[in-house]
Amino acid sequence: MRSSGLDGIRPEPGQPIVVLTGAGISKESGLDTFRDADGIWSKVRIEDVATYEAFAHDPRRVHAFYNERRRGLLNPTVQPNAAHRALARLERDWPGQVLVVTQNIDDLHERAGSKNLIHMHGELFKVACEHCRAVLEWREDLSRDMRCPDCSRAAGLRPHVVWFGEMPLEMERIYQALGAAGLFVSIGTSGNVYPAAGFVSEIRAQGTPSIELNLEPSEGTSLFTRAIHGPASQVVPAFVDNLLVR
Ligand code: BJW
């Protein structure tokens, strides 16, 4: 733990806060991270399930991967943890705008009560139609032969997730929010995947303070103004308490 104080990084009331979250915030809710020793990429290869080429080559395999994760997210034991709830509290009680930009495709931020939220890598409970571009709510298993409920054409539905080589969602809105932020907070992400991993460099270049809250130092840890290392369910509520108590 480098420092637990917020001296020098506390934004003025009214200044916007941008929070980036990654798989680490949902780990204590029972969802796997990607790059930890027991993470998703230790069990499947990125190039088999997380590129458009993989989907085009073997849609059945990619659907099976996301169907299993969708079923996992529907398991009643998977619930928001204290870190998700603390961010919802921050949005409610901070006297300024709070935007959560999540790389996660789970819905735990919404379930905890976050409202100003961007899923930059998509959402597990949505599918997209490659024919008519509709994006639809979806909680069932998905397969290649299913028809789009909007345009009725078959073989066009895919998980509404951003694979490697695809453009993350709402980038313009994200960069606008980063440009106006009084504080940038990064939680539970290893800092391996761009463009999210580059946000801290943008923030640093514009002279905005930043803080990393992660189990261990991320790839970009030295770029942050401050870092607190520990489990999200402990460090995030403590950080939010500290920010809200003046
Ligand atoms: C805890 C904890 C606890 C554990 N408490 N913490 C340079 C510039 C721009 C792009 C590139 C570039 N170089 C290469 C690229 C391309 C590529 C990329 O980044 N490749 C890298 C591997 C090098 N990026 C892309 O292709 C992206 N698109 C793109 O760049 O388009 C062009 C563009 C350029 C510039 C601007 C705009 C656009 C698309 C990336 C898509 C990522 N997709 C995935 C899978 C799909 C969704 C899914 O199936 O879920 O998204 S990959 C996977 O990684 C997933 C995640 O969202 C993402 C990030 O992972 P995350 O969240 O960081 O998880 P982990 O496991 O890595 O880390 C967890 C952390 O938590 C660890 O540090 C733990 O210690 C910690 N932790 N328990 C707190 N209890």
Side-chain angles (χ1 to χ4, degrees), residues 159-201:
H160 184 51
V161 300
V162 177
W163 289 317
F164 283 102
E166 297 186 318
M167 183 64 87
L169 307 173
E170 302 204 53
M171 290 310 298
E172 207 178 311
R173 202 175 137 211
I174 294 171
Y175 282 120
Q176 263 176 15
L178 290 171
L183 177 68
F184 173 66
V185 186
S186 176
I187 302 170
T189 176
S190 63
N192 275 285
V193 176
Y194 288 83
F199 292 168
V200 63
S201 305

Side-chain angles (χ1 to χ4, degrees), residues 58-77:
D58 193 349
R60 195 177 297 201
R61 174 157 197 190
V62 176
H63 280 312
F65 174 66
Y66 284 99
N67 286 342
E68 189 185 332
R69 288 177 62 198
R70 198 178 298 106
R71 277 183 242 127
L73 189 53
L74 284 166
N75 186 323
T77 62

Side-chain angles (χ1 to χ4, degrees), residues 3-26:
S3 165
S4 60
L6 297 182
D7 299 347
I9 66 162
R10 182 189 294 280
E12 290 301 318
Q15 283 191 301
I17 299 173
V18 177
V19 182
L20 173 70
T21 66
I25 197 170
S26 297

Side-chain angles (χ1 to χ4, degrees), residues 35-36 41 103 164 189-198 216 218-220:
R35 294 169 186 81
D36 289 316
W41 299 151
Q103 298 169 85
F164 283 102
T189 176
S190 63
N192 275 285
V193 176
Y194 288 83
E216 58 191 11
S218 73
E219 288 295 313

